[in-house]
Amino acid sequence: MRQHADAPVSAGIDRLVATATDRRPGTPDQRIRVGIVGATGYVGAELIRLLTRHPRVEIVGLQGRDRDHEPIGATHAHLAGTGLAVDSSLPDVDTIFLALPHGTAAAIVPEMASRGTAIIDLGPDFRLRAATDYPRWYGFEHPSPDLLGDAVYGLPELHRTELTDLRHAEQAIVGAPGCYPTATLLALAPLARAGLIGDLVVDAKSGVSGAGRDPKPDMLFGEVNESVKAYGIGGHRHVAEIEQELAALGAAGATTNPGAAGVDFLPHLIPMTRGILSAGHVRPTRPTSQAELDDLYAAAYAGEPFVTVVPAAPATKHVLGSNHVRVFVHHDERTGRILAIGVIDNLVKGAAGQAIQAFNLVHGLPETTGLEQLPLAP
Amino acid sequence: MRQHADAPVSAGIDRLVATATDRRPGTPDQRIRVGIVGATGYVGAELIRLLTRHPRVEIVGLQGRDRDHEPIGATHAHLAGTGLAVDSSLPDVDTIFLALPHGTAAAIVPEMASRGTAIIDLGPDFRLRAATDYPRWYGFEHPSPDLLGDAVYGLPELHRTELTDLRHAEQAIVGAPGCYPTATLLALAPLARAGLIGDLVVDAKSGVSGAGRDPKPDMLFGEVNESVKAYGIGGHRHVAEIEQELAALGAAGATTNPGAAGVDFLPHLIPMTRGILSAGHVRPTRPTSQAELDDLYAAAYAGEPFVTVVPAAPATKHVLGSNHVRVFVHHDERTGRILAIGVIDNLVKGAAGQAIQAFNLVHGLPETTGLEQLPLAP
Amino acid sequence: MRQHADAPVSAGIDRLVATATDRRPGTPDQRIRVGIVGATGYVGAELIRLLTRHPRVEIVGLQGRDRDHEPIGATHAHLAGTGLAVDSSLPDVDTIFLALPHGTAAAIVPEMASRGTAIIDLGPDFRLRAATDYPRWYGFEHPSPDLLGDAVYGLPELHRTELTDLRHAEQAIVGAPGCYPTATLLALAPLARAGLIGDLVVDAKSGVSGAGRDPKPDMLFGEVNESVKAYGIGGHRHVAEIEQELAALGAAGATTNPGAAGVDFLPHLIPMTRGILSAGHVRPTRPTSQAELDDLYAAAYAGEPFVTVVPAAPATKHVLGSNHVRVFVHHDERTGRILAIGVIDNLVKGAAGQAIQAFNLVHGLPETTGLEQLPLAP
Amino acid sequence: MRQHADAPVSAGIDRLVATATDRRPGTPDQRIRVGIVGATGYVGAELIRLLTRHPRVEIVGLQGRDRDHEPIGATHAHLAGTGLAVDSSLPDVDTIFLALPHGTAAAIVPEMASRGTAIIDLGPDFRLRAATDYPRWYGFEHPSPDLLGDAVYGLPELHRTELTDLRHAEQAIVGAPGCYPTATLLALAPLARAGLIGDLVVDAKSGVSGAGRDPKPDMLFGEVNESVKAYGIGGHRHVAEIEQELAALGAAGATTNPGAAGVDFLPHLIPMTRGILSAGHVRPTRPTSQAELDDLYAAAYAGEPFVTVVPAAPATKHVLGSNHVRVFVHHDERTGRILAIGVIDNLVKGAAGQAIQAFNLVHGLPETTGLEQLPLAP
């Protein structure tokens, strides 16, 4: 599957499509050629950090705004040692990772996908199934609504089979989830599947790296430090994903569709760089118990390589720098409510790490390849 | 009202009780003699910081654990300039501020109060009206249940008249509110009064100073920094106050008593020193509108010297170091829910500042005396 | 001295100059009318915070970039309660505070000063006595070199008499010191006066608020948090002030002029918002002792209202939010060197607070007026 | 070299010593059995994090204070996934890592070393060559002064040959360097070798994790956040290492021995968790130039896998979580001085990572094995 750098693009593409019944590299020495578009942002940096150490990947191209021909170290000083550089002329690749503002990927993906290049889009352009959600939540008409049905929501714990099936598909488009939805959905999925979510408040807290690297006054250290505030009042865009996926999970057994009334989702910005904690406050559709919840969660996440159900409230620091997720569920005897908490590193499991996890599945590699790092603490 | 330092305690007390129909100092030069018990903790430090600059107060005694006869600067380096020292033998005072662990004040207040000393207790021992709440929430039997009915919950915005009435009362006991209840109740009071709270989730975020100064491993900088976690799972003690006061507010008009089902309250520890943001997620008992909410809040807080209703989500930094509160209310058209947010500095409006605000009322002083500082930002 | 708001500017000015033999307000009720130019930056905010509570000041005008006619709360949310607004048409004032980029004040001060308005410039344009220092350190030719000799370096602890003399001067121009020089000079002044500084390394650490509020990428929370770096390599502009003042102090007794060889000054940016710690590493010109140093410092700072000599290494948190300075001096027996440390809040004693301290002297007010706040900790 | 877990200790030891002419594991599948003593501290955690991912290592035992038989996740939550547990009965190991308070390792190493176990001591007990330095700097008489001459100072960039020679030595004792000396020595080594250090001030800044995990009041978040202070006034213990190694480096060419006068070393605690920046201010013994310095540093660090000489002042964030070092050198034309800065992660290159780097050399493995992680930023 790996292409030679000097092969003409069209030739490479032709050969790729011809053999595109299998995206898995043949031998252990063969490497998948990947490109990263949007390499100069924080998510781009994290993709580079992780893919550089991925044993089956070769990064062959980086694109980034206003940085053409510069070494990547000029933008991301910590990555100077990689020797990579930004170059607007992206060579032929097997898989392209896109870390772009909304609306941008939608414009370029159709052509790329038709050439057989696997697409891992870390923006929102291929996360939603209903084309009408794009004007509603993102303010643009989706230019390729027909692709939305084929694209896979790249949360492996919920869509592993579909991601794996892309290995043999002619077109492979993954819409990697947003950071808040990742933490929220993994905390709530077992409840949604069991039809237990009767009423839902999601109150989330995030480090500032999710806001990206563009210099905005309210992201200055002097403004963020020693302060907390809510934002996205009245409807953060990630609600769309959360409602879509909860509805899909609950379709079978839910007596109340949480998407019907609308999820009450409130994100907060807190003075840290990385990490998301999402707390789901659930009024259940019927009485339940801690024992039932423990069973549900144990069953849901047994064998999951990155999700751990923990018996005490987890901290984001427990997963910092890693693709790990910690999930906690509690039945409150006094109020009858359920509390479900998920913690992730927003740039790893909430972005670059999860994208690589999906990428591994698309290419038939072990799901944890290149993602084995342990969390960094203290 | 001011006592001479060399007057025998009993003589002073006798005179005080004899004239205790008025706790207001007579002339602008007269100062109220105050003592602080628990001066070596963070709340004690904040009481000293603020009372030192209070124009009608003279601090005549500081008590603190294991620090007898030491200058206060040995404990609180920033207060070295005050020249105060810790001394276990507290002289005769007009008002005593108590910043003690729960159960401790309850044991010493009855005797103090009977002597006519005004009590401003910053712990929980006189916040709750039902004696049965103490074993339930704090694990101790209250030794003086008869005093609980006389004590006033020291949230001036809700209990101003009762606090003012203490000026002429023989016994004056104020149970100053907890930090979370202060932010939560001020955010929710107009809704509770209007009977609008049908279902309530309170999700709060606090800096670490609320945990005090005792060296606990999970309060180390290396553990707190770059991390967030929930705690108090299954029932933080402050729930008791929140439910008590919401029930009282809603008694007249509420169709649903939020105390009945129980408030779902979840606090989080975030990496900052000061500040609390409390987000109340409310499912209203009936349809409402932003216009109705705006009117309710404007009416509730018109003329309040410390509470400002703001049109955009506030940050804790907007009130840092001050006794200010910012309250924000939002009606979500999509979900029909109400979001009510309050932000405070947990050590000022959430502790020492509020205690002084109540103290001013008890002594017939302008409510803002000594509390005029503006917030410190950035 | 106070002008009526409706008086024509020229009339007011004429009257002011006519009576400019005394800048002190006559009665306790009279207030000095001040304006602030550069009110939308961090230093501007701090001037507003402090002057709003100054009992002899009335803020009559605020100017700020791109914010005309906006309430100040739109820029500085924490100051919303002041009710002040930005307005480009500054009314007639007695004193103007300028918080502007270098080169800007120099252009407008001559005309202002000639009208009798007292000038407190918080930028560098009137700090240096040698006009040749401006092209060298700041890259511009000073437009009014003749004024440099009249302007007073506004460090009250070193130039109190000159500042006080401005009360009766026709022109009053104060060049308020930079933040690093304030901490550094107060730490080193007793050594410089004693001629003890033979060789000098100054290694300083600052919070980020000194860099101002303009959104620069390397001031984002995500970049500053969990990181430290040196900057200003090869000559930070504040070296000019430090060398000028040390030379002046040492002129009498110094056997080695530290300005000759040049001070080795290295500032660092550390992950905090406020505070500067400046560590002066001194190789003395002759053997000395801790006892001698203690005597020198005690004599130098006895009676100073804001400077405290402390017996253990101070932290910036000990002075946060206040105009206080803590100075520590240590003679190292092993190496024979002297360590002299100063800590300040860079926005208070390093900027706005010190400017007000100088302002008080210029107007014949007690030096501490409006600056009595205690530090905020934790 | 790998021992079977069920082999009796003595048998294992005998075999090991018998074949101790080579500590290198024979086949790629063979793993070196290691134990960690002091596993419950921050350095212990970092050893576990890194060694778990080391392809030639098997962690067979963890010892830690008061935690016997507990899963390591109970102490280090982020390491719960490793499945390791603390156990006071350490099995037979090839190499033991010791992360212990000073004086503790000295008592147990002699017996261990005599059995052939390779010792990587991360404490100070085997860093200093002169036995007299222990009472002077650490306050204890070294119990095995004869071993000090055999122990190797484990800074691979300075002692690579000696470390490599331990592969075939009967006794292998490595005294891994302190965190400050690592950053300082790597910044200064080329100058010391060239005899350029005439006078030396080292001003260093550290995150708090270097102070360990014991709950001390001044390490609480509320105390550390928004503050900086110097400590170790009058002689931090790490001076001993710095002077020892600089003297050794300069023995050949130095005209001035920096150890003679004594290094002026001042560490600071800043509000971050990880990272050290050490700034060396050097008055050179003779005039030099940027070009000469660039050549010296390029020559010194060409081919070094972990040290990068950078052209602009580095930040600690550029190396966070990695074993990387960034070194910067600047000749100041104005003052004639040299500035040499080194940045490291204090827990990786300043402790656990460097210990593993030395371990790799002792066992004949590629020096970077298990240390390939890129820095984590933002």
Side-chain angles (χ1 to χ4, degrees):
Chain A
M1 191 59 43
R2 188 177 170 201
Q3 307 298 325
H4 293 286
D6 53 355
V9 169
S10 58
I13 294 299
D14 288 348
R15 193 169 64 242
L16 187 72
V17 173
T19 62
T21 47
D22 192 353
R23 295 181 186 274
R24 183 181 167 82
T27 73
D29 287 343
Q30 283 186 314
R31 291 188 174 234
I32 301 164
R33 292 164 54 85
V34 310
I36 300 171
V37 180
T40 51
Y42 282 153
V43 170
E46 203 66 351
L47 284 166
I48 297 169
R49 179 177 76 93
L50 293 169
L51 289 171
T52 298
R53 302 281 308 130
H54 191 296
R56 306 300 298 278
V57 161
E58 180 183 5
I59 300 176
V60 298
L62 301 179
Q63 282 189 351
R65 198 168 46 181
D66 303 331
R67 293 290 191 173
D68 211 16
H69 304 300
E70 280 189 15
I72 195 66
T75 305
H76 304 304
H78 66 296
L79 299 177
T82 62
L84 296 168
V86 179
D87 192 329
S88 61
S89 62
L90 202 65
D92 179 30
V93 298
D94 297 325
T95 292
I96 189 104
F97 288 87
L98 304 174
L100 295 168
H102 64 81
T104 315
I108 60 177
V109 157
E111 195 270 341
M112 286 178 169
S114 70
R115 284 189 288 152
T117 307
I119 312 288
I120 313 285
D121 180 22
L122 287 88
D125 292 9
F126 293 92
R127 291 177 193 161
L128 303 178
R129 295 292 78 78
T132 52
D133 273 348
Y134 284 94
R136 180 183 176 201
W137 290 98
Y138 288 96
F140 74 96
E141 289 291 333
H142 201 286
S144 306
D146 51 311
L147 289 180
L148 294 177
D150 295 334
V152 177
Y153 189 72
L155 191 56
E157 289 79 5
L158 300 188
H159 296 275
R160 184 169 285 117
T161 303
E162 295 154 84
L163 290 166
T164 305
D165 288 349
L166 292 179
R167 175 175 165 189
H168 298 287
E170 290 208 355
Q171 284 201 351
I173 305 177
V174 175
C179 49
Y180 286 120
T182 296
T184 303
L185 291 169
L186 292 173
L188 293 171
L191 301 179
R193 269 200 215 100
L196 271 166
I197 302 179
D199 187 71
L200 177 58
V201 170
V202 176
D203 193 291
K205 299 91 199 168
S206 176
V208 300
S209 58
R213 200 177 193 173
D214 285 335
K216 300 166 201 154
D218 60 348
M219 291 297 139
L220 290 174
F221 184 90
E223 304 293 315
V224 172
N225 192 37
E226 276 292 288
S227 198
V228 52
K229 67 174 175 185
Y231 69 105
I233 310 292
H236 188 283
R237 285 157 169 167
H238 284 176
V239 168
E241 289 170 57
I242 294 171
E243 293 187 350
Q244 166 184 290
E245 296 296 311
L246 287 182
L249 285 163
T255 56
T256 301
N257 182 340
V263 174
D264 175 354
F265 173 70
L266 184 69
H268 296 74
L269 197 70
I270 64 175
M272 63 186 204
T273 304
R274 288 174 178 242
I276 282 183
L277 182 152
S278 181
H281 300 260
V282 176
R283 183 168 290 287
T285 50
R286 57 171 171 76
T288 179
S289 69
Q290 188 66 43
E292 181 189 11
L293 299 181
D294 288 345
D295 288 348
L296 280 175
Y297 278 70
Y301 294 123
E304 279 299 337
F306 293 114
V307 185
T308 307
V309 183
V310 292
T316 55
K317 194 160 216 163
H318 300 167
V319 298
L320 185 78
S322 82
N323 203 50
H324 294 194
V325 186
R326 297 214 175 166
V327 169
F328 168 78
V329 66
H330 174 76
H331 179 253
D332 193 317
E333 293 286 344
R334 189 175 62 87
T335 64
R337 285 178 172 275
I338 303 169
L339 170 68
I341 292 177
V343 296
I344 61 169
D345 182 318
N346 58 306
L347 293 179
V348 188
K349 182 61 177 173
Q354 181 149 267
I356 294 168
Q357 189 182 350
F359 161 91
N360 286 336
L361 291 172
V362 170
H363 287 282
L365 300 171
E367 194 168 331
T368 59
T369 312
L371 298 171
E372 301 91 346
Q373 296 89 345
L374 292 175
L376 188 74
Chain B
M1 192 60 40
R2 189 178 171 201
Q3 308 300 324
H4 294 285
D6 52 355
V9 169
S10 57
I13 294 299
D14 288 348
R15 195 169 61 242
L16 188 73
V17 172
T19 64
T21 47
D22 193 352
R23 295 179 188 277
R24 183 181 168 81
T27 72
D29 287 343
Q30 283 186 315
R31 292 187 173 234
I32 301 164
R33 292 164 53 86
V34 310
I36 301 171
V37 180
T40 51
Y42 282 152
V43 170
E46 202 68 350
L47 284 167
I48 297 168
R49 179 177 76 92
L50 294 169
L51 289 171
T52 298
R53 301 280 311 131
H54 192 296
R56 306 301 298 278
V57 162
E58 180 184 4
I59 300 177
V60 298
L62 302 179
Q63 281 190 349
R65 198 168 45 184
D66 304 330
R67 293 290 191 172
D68 211 16
H69 304 301
E70 280 189 14
I72 195 65
T75 305
H76 304 304
H78 67 295
L79 299 177
T82 62
L84 296 168
V86 179
D87 192 328
S88 61
S89 62
L90 202 65
D92 180 28
V93 298
D94 298 324
T95 292
I96 189 105
F97 289 87
L98 303 174
L100 294 168
H102 64 80
T104 314
I108 60 176
V109 158
E111 195 269 340
M112 285 179 170
S114 72
R115 285 190 286 152
T117 308
I119 312 288
I120 314 284
D121 181 21
L122 289 88
D125 292 9
F126 293 92
R127 292 178 192 158
L128 304 177
R129 295 290 78 79
T132 51
D133 273 348
Y134 285 94
R136 181 183 177 201
W137 290 99
Y138 288 95
F140 73 97
E141 288 291 334
H142 201 286
S144 305
D146 50 311
L147 289 180
L148 295 178
D150 296 333
V152 177
Y153 190 71
L155 191 56
E157 290 79 6
L158 300 188
H159 296 276
R160 185 168 285 119
T161 303
E162 295 154 84
L163 290 167
T164 304
D165 288 349
L166 292 179
R167 176 174 165 189
H168 298 286
E170 290 207 358
Q171 284 201 351
I173 305 176
V174 175
C179 48
Y180 287 120
T182 296
T184 303
L185 291 169
L186 291 173
L188 293 171
L191 301 179
R193 268 201 215 99
L196 272 166
I197 302 179
D199 188 70
L200 178 58
V201 170
V202 176
D203 193 292
K205 301 89 198 168
S206 177
V208 300
S209 57
R213 200 176 192 172
D214 285 336
K216 301 166 201 153
D218 60 349
M219 290 297 139
L220 290 174
F221 185 90
E223 305 293 316
V224 172
N225 192 37
E226 276 292 288
S227 199
V228 52
K229 67 175 175 185
Y231 70 105
I233 311 292
H236 188 282
R237 285 158 168 168
H238 284 176
V239 168
E241 288 170 58
I242 295 171
E243 293 187 349
Q244 166 184 291
E245 296 296 312
L246 287 182
L249 285 163
T255 56
T256 302
N257 182 340
V263 174
D264 176 353
F265 173 71
L266 185 68
H268 295 76
L269 198 68
I270 64 175
M272 62 186 203
T273 304
R274 287 175 179 240
I276 282 182
L277 183 153
S278 182
H281 301 260
V282 176
R283 182 167 291 287
T285 50
R286 56 172 172 77
T288 180
S289 68
Q290 187 66 42
E292 181 188 11
L293 300 181
D294 288 345
D295 287 349
L296 280 176
Y297 278 70
Y301 294 123
E304 280 297 339
F306 294 114
V307 184
T308 307
V309 183
V310 292
T316 56
K317 195 161 215 162
H318 300 167
V319 298
L320 186 77
S322 82
N323 202 50
H324 295 194
V325 185
R326 296 213 175 166
V327 169
F328 168 78
V329 66
H330 174 76
H331 179 254
D332 193 317
E333 293 285 344
R334 188 175 63 87
T335 64
R337 285 179 172 274
I338 304 169
L339 170 68
I341 292 177
V343 296
I344 60 169
D345 181 317
N346 58 305
L347 292 180
V348 189
K349 182 61 178 172
Q354 180 148 267
I356 293 168
Q357 188 183 352
F359 162 90
N360 286 337
L361 291 172
V362 169
H363 287 282
L365 299 171
E367 196 168 332
T368 59
T369 311
L371 298 170
E372 302 90 345
Q373 296 89 344
L374 292 175
L376 189 74
Chain C
M1 193 57 43
R2 188 178 170 202
Q3 307 299 324
H4 294 285
D6 53 354
V9 170
S10 57
I13 293 300
D14 289 347
R15 194 171 62 241
L16 188 73
V17 173
T19 64
T21 47
D22 192 352
R23 296 179 187 276
R24 184 182 165 81
T27 73
D29 287 342
Q30 282 186 315
R31 290 184 176 238
I32 301 164
R33 291 164 55 86
V34 310
I36 301 170
V37 180
T40 51
Y42 282 154
V43 170
E46 203 66 351
L47 284 167
I48 297 169
R49 179 177 77 92
L50 294 169
L51 289 172
T52 298
R53 302 279 312 129
H54 191 296
R56 304 301 299 277
V57 162
E58 180 183 3
I59 300 177
V60 298
L62 302 179
Q63 281 190 351
R65 196 168 47 183
D66 304 330
R67 292 289 190 172
D68 210 16
H69 304 301
E70 279 188 15
I72 196 64
T75 305
H76 303 305
H78 67 296
L79 299 177
T82 62
L84 297 167
V86 179
D87 192 329
S88 60
S89 62
L90 203 64
D92 178 29
V93 298
D94 298 324
T95 292
I96 190 103
F97 288 87
L98 304 173
L100 295 168
H102 63 78
T104 314
I108 60 175
V109 158
E111 196 270 340
M112 285 178 170
S114 71
R115 284 189 288 152
T117 307
I119 311 288
I120 313 286
D121 181 21
L122 288 89
D125 292 9
F126 292 92
R127 293 177 192 159
L128 304 177
R129 295 291 76 82
T132 52
D133 272 348
Y134 284 94
R136 181 182 177 203
W137 290 99
Y138 288 96
F140 74 97
E141 288 291 334
H142 201 285
S144 306
D146 51 311
L147 289 180
L148 294 177
D150 295 335
V152 177
Y153 190 71
L155 192 56
E157 290 79 7
L158 300 188
H159 295 275
R160 184 169 286 120
T161 303
E162 294 154 84
L163 290 167
T164 304
D165 288 349
L166 292 179
R167 176 175 164 189
H168 297 286
E170 289 207 358
Q171 283 201 353
I173 304 176
V174 175
C179 49
Y180 286 119
T182 296
T184 305
L185 291 169
L186 292 174
L188 294 171
L191 300 179
R193 269 199 214 100
L196 270 165
I197 302 179
D199 188 70
L200 177 59
V201 170
V202 176
D203 192 291
K205 301 90 198 169
S206 176
V208 300
S209 58
R213 200 176 192 172
D214 285 336
K216 301 166 201 152
D218 60 349
M219 291 296 140
L220 290 174
F221 185 90
E223 305 293 315
V224 171
N225 192 37
E226 276 291 290
S227 198
V228 52
K229 66 175 176 185
Y231 69 106
I233 311 292
H236 188 282
R237 285 158 169 168
H238 285 175
V239 168
E241 289 169 57
I242 295 171
E243 293 186 349
Q244 166 183 290
E245 297 297 311
L246 287 182
L249 285 163
T255 56
T256 301
N257 181 340
V263 174
D264 175 353
F265 174 70
L266 185 68
H268 295 77
L269 197 69
I270 65 175
M272 63 186 202
T273 304
R274 288 176 179 241
I276 283 182
L277 183 153
S278 182
H281 301 261
V282 177
R283 182 167 291 287
T285 50
R286 56 173 172 76
T288 179
S289 69
Q290 187 66 43
E292 181 189 12
L293 299 181
D294 288 344
D295 287 348
L296 280 176
Y297 278 70
Y301 294 124
E304 279 297 340
F306 293 114
V307 185
T308 308
V309 183
V310 292
T316 55
K317 195 161 216 162
H318 299 168
V319 297
L320 186 77
S322 82
N323 202 49
H324 295 193
V325 186
R326 297 213 174 165
V327 169
F328 168 78
V329 66
H330 174 75
H331 179 253
D332 194 318
E333 293 286 343
R334 189 176 61 89
T335 64
R337 285 178 172 275
I338 304 169
L339 170 67
I341 292 178
V343 296
I344 61 168
D345 181 317
N346 58 306
L347 292 180
V348 188
K349 182 61 178 172
Q354 180 149 267
I356 294 168
Q357 189 183 351
F359 161 91
N360 286 336
L361 292 172
V362 169
H363 287 281
L365 299 172
E367 195 169 332
T368 59
T369 311
L371 298 171
E372 302 91 345
Q373 296 89 345
L374 292 175
L376 190 74
Chain D
M1 193 59 41
R2 188 177 170 201
Q3 306 300 323
H4 293 286
D6 53 355
V9 170
S10 58
I13 294 300
D14 288 348
R15 194 170 62 243
L16 188 73
V17 173
T19 64
T21 47
D22 192 354
R23 294 180 188 275
R24 183 182 165 83
T27 74
D29 287 343
Q30 283 186 315
R31 291 185 174 236
I32 301 163
R33 291 165 55 87
V34 310
I36 301 171
V37 180
T40 51
Y42 283 154
V43 170
E46 203 66 351
L47 284 166
I48 296 168
R49 180 176 77 91
L50 294 169
L51 289 172
T52 298
R53 302 279 311 129
H54 191 296
R56 305 301 298 277
V57 162
E58 181 184 2
I59 300 177
V60 299
L62 303 178
Q63 281 189 350
R65 196 169 46 182
D66 303 330
R67 293 291 191 170
D68 210 15
H69 305 302
E70 279 189 16
I72 194 67
T75 304
H76 304 305
H78 67 295
L79 299 176
T82 62
L84 296 168
V86 179
D87 192 329
S88 61
S89 62
L90 203 64
D92 179 28
V93 298
D94 298 325
T95 293
I96 190 103
F97 288 87
L98 304 173
L100 295 168
H102 64 80
T104 314
I108 61 176
V109 157
E111 195 270 340
M112 285 179 170
S114 71
R115 284 189 287 152
T117 308
I119 312 289
I120 314 286
D121 181 21
L122 288 88
D125 293 9
F126 293 92
R127 293 176 191 160
L128 303 177
R129 296 290 79 78
T132 52
D133 273 347
Y134 284 94
R136 179 183 177 203
W137 289 98
Y138 288 96
F140 74 96
E141 289 290 335
H142 202 285
S144 306
D146 50 310
L147 289 180
L148 294 177
D150 295 334
V152 177
Y153 189 72
L155 191 56
E157 291 78 6
L158 300 189
H159 295 276
R160 185 169 284 118
T161 303
E162 295 154 83
L163 289 166
T164 304
D165 288 350
L166 292 179
R167 175 174 165 188
H168 298 285
E170 289 208 356
Q171 283 201 352
I173 303 176
V174 175
C179 49
Y180 286 120
T182 296
T184 303
L185 291 168
L186 292 174
L188 293 171
L191 300 179
R193 269 199 213 98
L196 271 166
I197 302 179
D199 187 70
L200 178 59
V201 170
V202 176
D203 192 291
K205 299 91 198 167
S206 176
V208 300
S209 58
R213 200 178 193 172
D214 285 336
K216 301 166 201 153
D218 59 348
M219 290 298 140
L220 290 174
F221 184 90
E223 304 294 314
V224 172
N225 192 38
E226 276 293 288
S227 199
V228 52
K229 66 175 176 185
Y231 69 106
I233 311 292
H236 188 283
R237 285 157 169 168
H238 284 176
V239 168
E241 289 170 57
I242 294 171
E243 292 187 350
Q244 166 184 290
E245 295 297 312
L246 287 181
L249 284 163
T255 56
T256 302
N257 182 339
V263 174
D264 176 352
F265 173 70
L266 184 69
H268 296 76
L269 198 69
I270 65 175
M272 63 186 203
T273 304
R274 288 174 179 242
I276 282 182
L277 183 153
S278 182
H281 300 261
V282 177
R283 183 167 291 287
T285 50
R286 56 172 171 78
T288 179
S289 68
Q290 187 66 44
E292 181 188 11
L293 299 182
D294 288 344
D295 287 349
L296 279 177
Y297 278 70
Y301 294 123
E304 279 299 337
F306 294 114
V307 185
T308 307
V309 183
V310 292
T316 55
K317 195 160 215 163
H318 300 167
V319 298
L320 186 78
S322 82
N323 203 49
H324 295 194
V325 186
R326 297 213 173 165
V327 169
F328 168 79
V329 67
H330 174 76
H331 178 253
D332 194 317
E333 293 286 344
R334 188 175 63 88
T335 65
R337 284 177 172 277
I338 304 169
L339 170 68
I341 292 176
V343 295
I344 61 168
D345 182 317
N346 58 306
L347 292 180
V348 188
K349 182 62 177 173
Q354 180 149 267
I356 294 168
Q357 189 182 352
F359 161 91
N360 286 336
L361 292 172
V362 170
H363 287 282
L365 299 171
E367 195 168 331
T368 60
T369 312
L371 298 171
E372 303 90 346
Q373 296 89 345
L374 291 175
L376 188 73

